[in-house]
Amino acid sequence: MINKIYVIWHKESFKKDINQRLEVCFPDVEVEYIKPAPAGNDPNFKQWLKDNDYDYMKNWKQGDKPNPDEEYTDFWSRDIKTGEIACAIGHYRAWCMAKKDNVKKALFLEQDCIIRMGQYDKLDKLLSTLQNSGYSYDVIYTGHCETSLRYKGEPDEYGLVKPLYVYCLHSYVVTNKGIDILLSNEFEKNIFPVDDYVASLNVPLSGETGTNSYGLKDNKMHPELGHLKQQINAYVLKKQLFPQMEKDYGLSGTEGSPYID
């Protein structure tokens, strides 16, 4: 059911490792390795953005506190980091490639995603079952940050839940309709952490009711991203199929990069 896999990477050692695993565990699926942007700590990074017609969100930081020295702290009360921008560009390039390839369903993996035997069969069975049942979705998080997953209602018969706001994009499936939506907001001209972009697209209008519906009051959403809400239909596979490496090994370098401003 997956037409193609797109791997977002920037470390050769990680690329080599995930390539070896995919060859064994997903032997029948075509894989595309997305050319990375310069590393966020490249001294010419900001100039590279201009030269390649990218730009970043200028009103991301909320408040006037100094940027913290600690990593993983107060994401919205600090400036964006250059590594976060580089990561977002990797995902954007992958979406563009999927659009060019005209795929119906694509699996996107970051370099620190854990690949194991059996994942292919489980994913293929899930997507085939969803298609046969007429299940409607644009994005399925097949991996996620467990500490960020909040939702209303219980997992359905397929193990899927509607998230309130969920982080981590180390593994997710997108349909061709979903790709069109991801590319419809000029994200490349207003880049910010890509986890927030996809999560914000799934936030519904406030006041919705129902077993698996929720309002903005239930979400911790960046105050400048409200215009993105209710564009995609996203689900999370509560028992994630593709876990992520522990941060002491899989740290991508996004947080360790400098602030853009």
Side-chain angles (χ1 to χ4, degrees):
M1 294 297 297
I2 288 295
N3 303 119
K4 196 168 181 178
I5 297 173
Y6 299 87
V7 178
I8 295 96
W9 67 281
H10 76 273
K11 290 184 177 180
E12 287 286 351
S13 59
F14 281 69
K15 178 187 176 184
K16 181 179 180 180
D17 179 71
I18 197 170
N19 177 61
Q20 291 174 339
R21 293 177 179 271
L22 286 172
E23 286 182 344
V24 173
C25 301
F26 287 74
D28 299 322
V29 184
E30 183 180 358
V31 181
E32 182 85 30
Y33 291 87
I34 304 302
K35 181 180 179 181
N41 57 7
D42 188 313
N44 298 314
F45 185 78
K46 289 185 72 172
Q47 184 60 49
W48 181 89
L49 288 178
K50 294 180 181 179
D51 293 343
N52 288 273
D53 207 22
Y54 292 111
D55 203 357
Y56 61 94
M57 184 175 175
K58 302 301 192 298
N59 57 344
W60 172 263
K61 183 178 180 179
Q62 302 297 297
D64 55 5
K65 293 181 180 179
N67 287 326
D69 294 328
E70 298 83 4
E71 297 181 356
Y72 306 107
T73 303
D74 299 328
F75 286 100
W76 298 345
S77 62
R78 62 164 174 78
D79 286 311
I80 303 171
K81 294 196 170 187
T82 53
E84 292 169 331
I85 296 174
C87 177
I89 290 173
H91 284 267
Y92 173 76
R93 283 177 164 175
W95 303 334
C96 290
M97 183 61 70
K99 176 64 175 178
K100 180 181 177 182
D101 293 339
N102 196 31
V103 297
K104 292 185 177 180
K105 291 184 181 69
L107 174 64
F108 297 87
L109 303 174
E110 291 185 336
Q111 63 179 12
D112 55 355
C113 182
I114 296 175
I115 307 300
R116 296 170 174 159
M117 293 298 295
Q119 289 170 325
Y120 176 88
D121 291 337
K122 290 180 180 178
L123 182 59
D124 187 69
K125 181 179 180 180
L126 172 66
L127 298 181
S128 296
T129 302
L130 294 180
Q131 179 170 297
N132 293 335
S133 66
Y135 203 101
S136 177
Y137 65 91
D138 302 314
V139 174
I140 295 178
Y141 288 81
T142 47
H144 60 272
C145 178
E146 292 186 349
T147 58
S148 77
L149 178 58
R150 296 187 302 119
Y151 57 93
K152 284 192 172 180
E154 294 301 316
D156 61 24
E157 59 187 303
Y158 309 108
L160 298 171
V161 296
K162 286 290 294 183
L164 297 179
Y165 205 86
V166 63
Y167 287 105
C168 290
L169 286 173
H170 60 273
S171 169
Y172 58 105
V173 171
V174 186
T175 66
N176 52 349
K177 178 186 174 185
I179 291 295
D180 287 341
I181 297 170
L182 291 173
L183 294 174
S184 67
N185 295 285
E186 295 189 328
F187 181 58
E188 74 279 14
K189 304 294 185 182
N190 193 44
I191 299 171
F192 53 90
V194 69
D195 300 57
D196 282 275
Y197 176 56
V198 179
S200 296
L201 291 169
N202 183 56
V203 172
L205 297 172
S206 61
E208 292 186 354
T209 58
T211 304
N212 285 320
S213 298
Y214 44 87
L216 287 174
K217 61 184 176 59
D218 297 310
N219 291 271
K220 293 182 65 177
M221 183 182 184
H222 192 287
E224 299 296 331
L225 302 181
H227 63 286
L228 296 173
K229 60 182 178 291
Q230 206 180 39
Q231 292 192 38
I232 64 171
N233 185 22
Y235 290 88
V236 173
L237 190 60
K238 187 173 184 293
K239 185 178 181 180
Q240 58 179 327
L241 182 56
F242 296 86
Q244 190 178 32
M245 295 178 187
E246 293 293 333
K247 285 300 181 184
D248 59 351
Y249 177 63
L251 182 62
S252 64
T254 54
E255 278 297 304
S257 60
Y259 294 106
I260 190 69
D261 291 317

